[in-house]
Amino acid sequence: MRPFVLVVDDEVRLAEVVSAALAERGFDGQAVGSVNEALGVLNSSDVSLVLTDLRMPSLGGHDLLRRLQVLRPEIPVIITTAYASVRDAVDLVKQGAYDYISKPFEIDDVIATIERALKLGEALEDNRRLRTELEEKYSFDHLAGESASFRNVLRQITEVCESRATVLLEGESGTGKELVARAIHYNSPRRLRPFVAVNCAAIPENLLESELFGHVKGAFTGALATREGRFAAADKGTLFLDEIGDMPLSIQAKVLRAIQEQTFEPIGSNKSVHVDVRIIAATHKDLRRLIDAQEFRADLYYRLNIFPIALPPLRERPGDILLLARQFLNSFAADMGKRLIGFTPSAEAAMAGYSWPGNVRELQNCVQRAVIVARGNTIDVSDLSHYVVEGNSKCAPEVGLPNDLDAELARIERNYIIEALKETNGVQVRAAERLGISERSLWHRIKKLAIKIGHHVE
């Protein structure tokens, strides 16, 4: 489809000549002699760009620009003007016009300016479309979970989104920390600004400082050009410091100052750079233990820990396993063009009985593989990754629906409680926290299920 350029000039003959020249260069053009005529075309046609004279009788280019900024803000506007009115044209560029061209002009200059404006418009539209897709992808609707522990996480995310408070996400690998970080950003007032992520564990220590703060040309061997760091790239937006527990001590002091003062110096520079950055940090490590081991700065921890959110592992929200699995199934099936209606009972039992040490990420990968290999319209246990079945103590591949549902549920509940007690060395308060229930509720269940607690839990 050829771009449609609307040429507006009270010198109608000139507008027609420009429109004809545009048609010869691969554009669809239409010439009109007034702003009112232009508005009529804009209401009935898919205009790509407006080329308008600045001064015309009655309404001029400035009036048309104001109308377009309200009615069709995505359409680029180029102003044509006599030399004496260049200052007015520059003011219009400051108000939102793409550029101005002085009369008399060469048609080649007009074509070149139009092509640049259209390329910028395409980039802006792609950016807008991408932003819309990201906002939809990271909306709260995509954070699936009905367990009490996950509902608590959603409540905390909702509370902190509108603020600029620093957030510390804690949880095992695969629990969805980056997904939550992006959800916070794309549901915050900063959603139109950059979300910049840096994995502190994936970048060597000798490169991490430059990655975060940038450097000037010649700052060190190999610094062949000045480079912007992640703090500067995230200005007015959000900087996500993933795996911050792996950040070397040598860099932590500079990061602390950058967070506190919103100021830093690139490597090799003595000029301070001021930024407005919201920090979201994440770790799978216990930062308090790292502080005790003198591997993490206490002052940085307290600066990060303003609004902590603990993401529960999947084994502590077993009721969400099948909910998430069905969500992944629908998504992957749609992407691959497969018609899959769900899981067989034995596949659901296998997934519900597996501990998922890799958490949500592992479940997602498992379902993706199953969708790839599935031959029927349902996913059976044979389609699941072998370790889900082999490492599953609660079901076997041939198991279907239980003959005694109450007994099966009691057995599953008993296994979860025993596992939690073993992990917490029999400390019931901590086991209750891991299971997301009260200590009193746990005591009653231990008694009801005849679980023995001593040197060995059984």
Side-chain angles (χ1 to χ4, degrees):
M1 181 176 176
R2 288 157 50 115
F4 181 7
V5 178
L6 179 61
V7 184
V8 188
D9 199 313
D10 61 315
E11 297 182 43
V12 179
R13 180 59 187 156
L14 174 61
E16 290 175 344
V17 169
V18 172
S19 181
L22 289 172
E24 292 177 358
R25 303 295 185 91
F27 298 91
D28 287 330
Q30 182 172 345
V32 296
S34 70
V35 170
N36 285 330
E37 287 182 86
L39 292 173
V41 175
L42 286 161
N43 286 331
S44 60
S45 303
D46 188 12
V47 176
S48 305
L49 180 143
V50 172
L51 179 70
T52 179
D53 190 26
L54 174 60
R55 298 195 180 280
M56 292 180 285
S58 183
L59 301 176
H62 55 285
D63 298 298
L64 181 55
L65 176 63
R66 290 195 200 101
R67 301 281 183 91
L68 280 170
Q69 286 178 330
V70 174
L71 300 174
R72 301 284 297 279
E74 75 280 5
I75 296 179
V77 177
I78 298 173
I79 306 294
T80 60
T81 182
Y83 179 78
S85 301
V86 165
R87 180 174 297 177
D88 293 334
V90 171
D91 288 339
L92 288 185
V93 171
K94 292 179 180 177
Q95 295 171 30
Y98 172 75
D99 203 350
Y100 71 92
I101 300 173
S102 297
K103 291 181 176 180
F105 47 71
E106 296 291 335
I107 193 64
D108 287 342
D109 294 336
V110 175
I111 296 293
T113 304
I114 288 174
E115 288 177 341
R116 288 196 301 270
L118 290 174
K119 286 180 180 178
L120 177 62
E122 290 174 1
L124 292 174
E125 176 60 22
D126 289 343
N127 190 45
R128 185 199 63 77
R129 188 183 304 112
L130 177 60
R131 187 181 296 119
T132 300
E133 291 174 357
L134 287 171
E135 289 175 6
E136 292 175 355
K137 180 178 180 180
Y138 296 111
S139 70
F140 294 147
D141 294 338
H142 288 266
L143 296 175
E146 296 178 351
S147 63
S149 59
F150 194 75
R151 286 200 303 271
N152 183 53
V153 169
L154 287 177
R155 177 185 59 77
Q156 291 176 293
I157 294 172
T158 304
E159 290 171 346
V160 80
C161 274
E162 293 298 321
S163 76
R164 58 166 297 151
T166 300
V167 178
L168 178 60
L169 303 174
E170 299 174 292
E172 298 176 6
S173 296
T175 49
K177 295 187 287 295
E178 182 166 351
L179 180 65
V180 170
R182 290 182 181 274
I184 292 172
H185 172 76
Y186 287 109
N187 289 278
S188 78
R190 295 173 179 253
R191 64 178 66 88
L192 300 181
R193 298 294 185 171
F195 177 91
V196 178
V198 54
N199 188 326
C200 301
I203 303 172
E205 180 176 351
N206 62 329
L207 298 179
L208 183 57
E209 184 177 359
S210 173
E211 193 70 27
L212 291 172
F213 303 111
H215 61 257
V216 299
K217 182 179 179 180
F220 50 83
T221 303
L224 302 179
T226 295
R227 185 186 180 201
E228 181 182 69
R230 302 293 182 94
F231 268 88
D235 189 27
K236 304 294 190 300
T238 301
L239 178 62
F240 176 51
L241 298 174
D242 196 11
E243 300 300 356
I244 196 160
D246 292 283
M247 179 179 287
L249 273 170
S250 59
I251 298 175
Q252 291 178 24
K254 192 168 183 177
V255 170
L256 173 64
R257 179 175 179 269
I259 294 173
Q260 287 183 159
E261 308 296 333
Q262 296 281 285
T263 301
F264 63 91
E265 291 82 37
I267 298 174
S269 173
N270 56 7
K271 294 183 179 179
S272 294
V273 177
H274 296 272
V275 291
D276 172 15
V277 174
R278 195 232 185 118
I279 299 293
I280 301 177
T283 181
H284 72 282
K285 294 184 175 181
D286 187 336
L287 296 185
R288 288 167 290 270
R289 289 186 180 179
L290 294 181
I291 292 171
D292 292 339
Q294 298 185 343
E295 296 176 4
F296 200 85
R297 294 179 63 105
D299 48 4
L300 177 56
Y301 170 73
Y302 294 124
R303 175 60 59 178
L304 296 171
N305 199 42
I306 293 174
F307 197 98
I309 300 177
L311 302 186
L314 197 52
R315 65 179 174 276
E316 292 183 9
R317 39 186 292 217
D320 292 340
I321 293 173
L322 296 182
L323 176 69
L324 287 164
R326 294 182 188 112
Q327 183 184 72
F328 295 145
L329 170 64
N330 293 334
S331 175
F332 290 129
D335 288 344
M336 298 179 198
K338 286 194 168 186
R339 298 190 63 180
L340 292 167
I341 61 175
F343 300 92
T344 64
S346 58
E348 291 188 347
M351 290 188 295
Y354 182 60
S355 62
W356 299 106
N359 293 296
V360 179
R361 185 186 299 126
E362 183 183 13
L363 174 62
Q364 184 179 32
N365 292 343
C366 175
V367 174
Q368 183 177 19
R369 177 194 179 279
V371 170
I372 292 172
V373 303
R375 293 293 178 262
N377 61 359
T378 58
I379 289 178
D380 198 3
V381 68
S382 59
D383 300 320
L384 301 177
S385 301
H386 65 88
Y387 56 80
V388 174
V389 178
E390 293 172 0
N392 193 319
S393 62
K394 301 178 182 67
C395 68
E398 65 275 6
V399 173
L401 293 172
N403 295 323
D404 187 337
L405 181 59
D406 289 337
E408 180 68 12
L409 292 174
R411 184 173 65 82
I412 293 172
E413 182 180 20
R414 191 175 194 278
N415 286 335
Y416 274 117
I417 291 173
I418 289 174
E419 185 177 349
L421 287 168
K422 286 180 177 178
E423 289 179 1
T424 58
N425 295 319
V427 179
Q428 294 185 35
V429 175
R430 291 175 56 198
E433 291 175 351
R434 295 293 298 262
L435 293 167
I437 60 177
S438 68
E439 185 182 4
R440 182 177 180 82
S441 176
L442 176 60
W443 182 84
H444 282 296
R445 295 178 193 217
I446 289 172
K447 186 176 180 181
K448 181 185 72 172
L449 297 169
I451 297 173
K452 297 177 182 179
I453 302 177
H455 293 296
H456 300 285
V457 180
E458 53 185 37

